[in-house]
Amino acid sequence: MGPPALSIVIVSYNARRELAGCLDSLDAHPPGLTAEVVVVDNASPDGSADVVEARGPRVRLIRLARNAGFAAANNVGIRATSGDLILLLNSDTLVGPGSIDTLAARLRAHPTAAAAGPRLVDGDGRAELSFGPMISPFAELRQKVVMALHRREFPPISTRVERATSREQFVDWVSGAALLVRRADAEAVGLLDERFFLYTEDVDFCAALRARGRRILFAPAAVITHLRGRSRASARAAMNAAYRRSQLAFYRKHHPRWARALRLYLRMKGQLPRE
């Protein structure tokens, strides 16, 4: 028997309930493609790994000795698998009937595309703006403002988001919450940059793929629910610090002229993290 067509890599940290839901959804709606599922647990103290072990051999578990971060843990999962297609899937997602096969079909329909992302919706079915232009100070501000107004259901913005997320298009990046990539392309760019512990690693990864002349596809025909880590609220301070560290690393790499200004801004706000 040859390698599977698809490798599903799920990174988990302190998300026992969400992880169980994600795996249940994969059991309920398995892809038609031959697939392997690997969970990489970032030394979760909440027993997340036990949820995986209880499922037996149909889901492979990799236990890390420490919390290595999202990018590094995904790389561990990628290296431990063999499918020509790799789906990076957050533990706080739920897949629906046919969603993975539809995403794979749309990617395969575009030979120039290295990666594809589905339409992400929240638990109430509202679209998430899960793609966008390359991060820059102005693009980042615009994305945050649009999503803040969309969460408040501001009609003109929500209508605009719904319209944008209903159209298949090539974009600069798609969310790492559900990102399908061809293994050959992922390996060509050296996988995810492990400087990004958490956040912005997906934007950086897509930028590396585009730098090779490849394209990134947003494919709304595939829909996946993204619950956005509801169990992580208790770790909000640590998550915010991780976001700021990744943000600084991103600007040093892609916008070095802005990195100093960002450090000054964060210092003034009292949000400059230890690095």
Side-chain angles (χ1 to χ4, degrees):
M1 186 181 238
L6 173 69
S7 299
I8 301 174
V9 177
I10 304 170
V11 171
S12 176
Y13 178 71
N14 250 22
R16 180 185 177 111
R17 184 178 64 180
E18 285 86 353
L19 177 60
C22 179
L23 294 174
D24 285 345
S25 74
L26 284 169
D27 283 344
H29 310 295
L33 296 169
T34 57
E36 60 182 335
V37 180
V38 174
V39 174
V40 182
D41 184 70
N42 258 327
S44 299
D46 71 342
S48 293
D50 298 334
V51 167
V52 182
E53 284 196 333
R55 292 174 183 264
R58 69 183 184 277
V59 180
R60 186 158 36 126
L61 171 67
I62 299 175
R63 292 178 182 259
L64 299 186
R66 63 182 180 86
N67 184 357
F70 187 73
N74 266 307
N75 287 347
V76 169
I78 292 170
R79 293 186 182 108
T81 56
S82 57
D84 288 338
L85 296 177
I86 303 161
L87 177 62
L88 305 182
L89 189 65
N90 270 22
S91 58
D92 59 0
T93 57
L94 302 172
V95 303
S99 57
I100 294 176
D101 289 318
T102 299
L103 185 61
R106 296 314 304 149
L107 178 60
R108 286 174 165 172
H110 295 279
T112 61
R119 187 176 197 257
L120 296 180
V121 299
D122 66 15
D124 296 320
R126 291 182 303 175
E128 175 181 325
L129 192 56
S130 56
F131 63 89
M134 179 61 173
I135 284 181
S136 68
F138 304 109
E140 192 173 11
L141 177 61
R142 176 183 174 277
Q143 191 94 355
K144 288 179 179 178
V145 169
V146 168
M147 283 312 299
L149 292 173
H150 180 48
R151 282 192 294 270
R152 290 171 172 76
E153 299 183 348
F154 183 59
I157 295 297
S158 290
T159 298
R160 183 176 175 184
V161 170
E162 290 292 336
R163 185 182 303 120
T165 57
S166 298
R167 178 170 60 89
E168 183 168 287
Q169 56 191 293
F170 290 106
V171 295
D172 282 354
W173 59 267
V174 291
S175 170
L179 190 156
L180 183 69
V181 62
R182 301 180 198 268
R183 180 176 296 274
D185 287 297
E187 292 178 346
V189 300
L191 308 187
L192 282 75
D193 188 333
E194 297 183 10
R195 281 178 287 185
F196 303 106
F197 185 86
L198 187 66
Y199 300 115
T200 71
E201 71 290 318
D202 45 7
V203 181
D204 175 78
F205 184 51
C206 289
L209 295 169
R210 288 189 294 106
R212 296 187 64 249
R214 305 288 281 154
R215 297 203 286 179
I216 310 299
L217 179 70
F218 174 69
V223 180
I224 289 178
T225 300
H226 186 202
L227 301 176
R228 286 197 161 270
R230 292 175 178 171
S231 67
R232 296 175 182 173
S234 61
R236 191 168 302 281
M239 299 286 279
N240 286 341
Y243 164 68
R244 291 304 189 186
R245 280 191 290 270
S246 288
Q247 186 185 33
L248 283 165
F250 186 92
Y251 276 82
R252 282 195 294 266
K253 180 175 179 179
H254 294 282
H255 304 293
R257 292 182 179 179
W258 283 100
R260 184 175 297 180
L262 176 60
R263 283 184 61 85
L264 178 61
Y265 168 75
L266 294 178
R267 190 186 300 277
M268 291 172 61
K269 289 193 69 176
Q271 295 181 10
L272 184 64
R274 294 179 181 178
E275 295 187 76

